[in-house]
Amino acid sequence: MSASGGDKGGEDPFAAVRDAYGQVVENWAAAMERVVTTDEFAEASGRFLRQYAELNEAGRSATRATADQLHLATKDDVARAVQLVAQLERKVDEVSDDVHAIRQSIAAIEASLAALADGAAPAPKKKRPAGTSGSGKKRPAGASGSTKKRASAGADPTA
Amino acid sequence: MTTSVNGGAPPGPEAEPFPLDELVRGMRMATGGEDVVTGATPRDVVWTLNKTTLYRYRPVAERRHGVPVLFVYALINKPYILDLRPGNSFIHHLLEEGYDVFLLDWGTPGWEDRETSLDELVAEHLPKAVARMRRAGAGEEYSLFGYCMGATFAAMHAALRPEGLRNLVTLTGPIDFEHSGVYRLWTDPAYMDPWALARGFGNVPADVIDMGNKMLKPVTNFVGSQMVMWERLAAGRDMTSWLAMNKWVNDGVPFPGVAFAQWIESFYQRNELVKGRIRIGGRRVDLGRIDASLLNIAGAKDHIVPPAMARPLNDLVASADNEYREIPGGHVGLLAGSGARRALWPTVVDWLDTRSD
């Protein structure tokens, strides 16, 4: 490690520590890195982790049993309540997606209708005999071929 | 007093060699008692689902690129490493370059999230975030930037849902776990049963994950960082960068138990991603389906995700525009170290600039 305290007046209080550190650190680091790459270390750390996890589980079980005895809500009870809220949030999110899709459809229909109203409909349709539908069948009197409705939605507020 | 951190009285003949206030400050910093502003770039919440939050950063310059950038981070530590502090924020840099920037933050899981799976996060939350980004007016196409485990998630998302993805940038992304070095040994099925850990812990504690990372280089991480602090303090140097990095390193989040077990078993122990055997959300992840432009970056000195672990992505994708870069630096220093502004940042910006209009 490079000395960086030289720009400071007076005695460097860390010089001795730094020198000692500099002398041993590389060997020390290399030795430690050799240790952590051995099978023995991997086995020991794996065993430690497993025991730590088991201890955690045992502690949780004991706490749960105590809380049950005292008629107190446990961490699991609280977690279940939070999960219900999260599920509700997910449903709201899905509804929001659906509403967005509907709004987009409405916006697309509106755009088509606006284009038609402006006379910008590009594909001129074949003239049909008056009073017939596309299939050539007569429509009942008074029936309109138009499905045009007043669109209620404006531009997508989320866009 | 010889000096003060904030440039106080100059050294004089009566100067104390070891001022008490610096010693006290050092002790406070060493024990995490001194805070520093991190993640300060202004942003808005676009969408949330459970603990997952999609943020959009407010522009700081005129927007010059039509394709937004979505950041995806890992499940360990917090994503503010991407926006570490004023003056050292990759996200702020992208904003200055005229990008529309989004960040997907997985949040901090609680006990109720211990059964959260990778399927839920990658196959549900990530695609939803992309949809919400579009809904927020970001356009149909986007660039996805994954960092660390987030790069693996980004690659899987790119394979499962390639539509609209213009660019994929993976930074120190673990892909081929055959080359995961010491982790490969520690997670060997003979030594580690990830499902037993998930059952025992519920969520694997942040301290356990942190300890695992630090034990890769124990002397550097446990002793070296403290030495650097005392040295900088004694030299009267600005401590902000050390404080910010130290805060982030020690600000871990628990790993949802089921996601942890999946991550260790399917990725580290079985290396299923490169074999095309991973199934996420019921669908097989075939990295060969990725056809977006790819920039894959590894850190030459990264001991957490060694270059050999990240490099194979380029050979697995179908992208015609496909680049691999190895940049000097370690896993975190690459992005937020003192050299990032000269190495990584311009590399990413130059690459994106020609692909984001």
Side-chain angles (χ1 to χ4, degrees):
Chain A
M1 187 172 283
S2 65
S4 53
D7 55 343
K8 188 179 173 182
E11 197 177 311
D12 179 357
F14 298 103
V17 179
R18 189 166 39 245
D19 288 347
Y21 177 76
Q23 281 167 16
V24 300
V25 73
E26 287 202 7
N27 290 336
W28 187 20
M32 284 301 292
E33 281 164 36
R34 272 198 302 277
V35 168
V36 299
T37 51
T38 59
D39 284 316
E40 289 76 13
F41 179 86
E43 189 189 357
S45 63
R47 199 169 48 239
F48 169 77
L49 267 181
R50 198 171 53 248
Q51 287 170 351
Y52 183 24
E54 285 168 2
L55 191 68
N56 245 272
E57 199 170 9
R60 235 177 14 250
S61 295
T63 310
R64 196 182 303 126
T66 308
D68 280 346
Q69 288 294 319
L70 297 171
H71 304 290
L72 294 173
T74 64
K75 195 156 109 170
D76 289 339
D77 296 327
V78 176
R80 267 192 293 276
V82 178
Q83 279 169 342
L84 287 175
V85 174
Q87 282 168 17
L88 186 63
E89 188 192 17
R90 184 186 300 267
K91 284 176 185 165
V92 170
D93 193 67
E94 284 166 7
V95 170
S96 169
D97 284 346
D98 291 344
V99 169
H100 177 71
I102 292 167
R103 279 181 175 162
Q104 278 193 315
S105 301
I106 291 171
I109 293 167
E110 272 188 328
S112 301
L113 291 176
L116 280 172
D118 291 348
K125 287 183 181 167
K126 217 175 173 181
K127 271 195 171 178
R128 290 195 303 259
T132 61
S133 70
S135 61
K137 289 179 183 170
K138 277 208 168 190
R139 286 196 305 267
S144 163
S146 170
T147 56
K148 186 174 177 180
K149 287 180 185 168
R150 188 173 176 277
S152 57
D156 179 3
T158 60
Chain B
M1 178 183 274
T2 52
T3 187
S4 86
V5 172
N6 297 318
E14 73 290 4
E16 295 170 35
F18 202 92
L20 187 62
D21 58 347
E22 284 185 14
L23 178 65
V24 170
R25 187 175 182 220
M27 297 295 283
R28 205 168 52 231
M29 285 194 288
T31 53
E34 188 164 322
D35 201 7
V36 67
V37 173
T38 49
T41 305
R43 60 188 184 177
D44 299 300
V45 173
V46 174
W47 167 78
T48 63
L49 184 61
N50 197 2
K51 308 299 188 302
T52 302
T53 305
L54 177 67
Y55 294 100
R56 184 183 208 170
Y57 286 86
R58 294 182 194 159
V60 300
E62 188 190 346
R63 214 160 265 167
R64 296 201 300 271
H65 304 283
V67 180
V69 180
L70 171 61
F71 281 96
V72 180
Y73 188 62
L75 291 175
I76 54 173
N77 286 100
K78 292 181 181 170
Y80 64 78
I81 188 67
L82 295 155
D83 178 28
L84 189 58
R85 64 185 178 88
N88 184 15
S89 162
F90 183 48
I91 283 178
H92 195 271
H93 180 66
L94 282 182
L95 292 170
E96 285 173 336
E97 293 292 325
Y99 284 92
D100 188 5
V101 180
F102 291 80
L103 168 71
L104 186 63
D105 183 351
W106 303 113
T108 303
W111 180 247
E112 65 279 6
D113 301 310
R114 62 196 182 281
E115 287 172 6
T116 297
S117 64
L118 295 181
D119 301 63
E120 186 180 328
L121 300 174
V122 177
E124 187 192 344
H125 290 208
L126 186 41
K128 272 179 178 278
V130 172
R132 292 301 176 128
M133 197 171 73
R134 288 177 175 146
R135 243 166 97 168
E140 280 304 302
E141 290 192 311
Y142 66 102
S143 299
L144 189 57
F145 187 112
Y147 178 30
C148 184
M149 192 191 291
T152 315
F153 294 174
M156 291 197 290
H157 170 81
L160 291 169
R161 297 191 179 237
E163 57 279 358
L165 179 61
R166 172 93 77 96
N167 306 304
L168 174 64
V169 182
T170 51
L171 178 62
T172 66
I175 297 294
D176 187 350
F177 291 76
E178 190 67 42
H179 302 289
S180 56
V182 187
Y183 281 133
R184 181 91 174 147
L185 173 68
W186 291 354
T187 59
D188 189 292
Y191 308 130
M192 183 185 278
D193 177 356
W195 290 101
L197 297 183
R199 276 193 304 276
F201 287 124
N203 292 323
V204 179
D207 288 345
V208 169
I209 304 290
D210 184 44
M211 180 64 77
N213 287 334
K214 284 181 175 165
M215 284 305 287
L216 286 174
K217 286 194 176 286
V219 175
T220 306
N221 290 319
F222 290 111
V223 183
S225 66
Q226 296 298 310
M227 285 301 292
V228 168
M229 183 206 77
W230 287 108
E231 250 192 342
R232 292 180 71 99
L233 195 60
R237 291 168 63 185
D238 179 29
M239 297 304 294
T240 316
S241 60
W242 186 91
L243 282 167
M245 189 61 88
N246 192 58
K247 175 182 172 182
W248 178 80
V249 164
N250 294 299
D251 195 11
V253 293
F255 204 134
V258 168
F260 171 84
Q262 285 179 299
W263 179 246
I264 298 296
E265 184 182 59
S266 300
F267 292 81
Y268 277 95
Q269 294 181 339
R270 296 184 183 163
N271 197 19
E272 289 181 335
L273 181 60
V274 291
K275 294 174 185 165
R277 291 187 196 151
I278 288 277
R279 295 188 76 84
I280 292 287
R283 292 173 62 194
R284 191 174 72 86
V285 179
D286 176 8
L287 296 176
R289 287 191 69 213
I290 297 176
D291 58 3
S293 294
L294 170 68
L295 174 61
N296 184 20
I297 303 170
K301 289 184 179 172
D302 189 346
H303 58 281
I304 294 174
V305 180
M309 198 177 179
R311 174 74 183 84
L313 180 62
N314 294 74
D315 302 326
L316 294 167
V317 299
S319 313
D321 179 16
N322 174 338
E323 219 172 300
Y324 172 75
R325 298 274 185 92
E326 208 168 292
I327 293 178
H331 193 69
V332 182
L334 196 65
L335 177 76
S338 55
R341 189 176 281 275
R342 292 187 305 276
L344 179 78
W345 298 7
T347 301
V348 174
V349 168
D350 290 348
W351 190 85
L352 277 177
D353 272 358
T354 54
R355 294 165 176 84
S356 298
D357 296 313

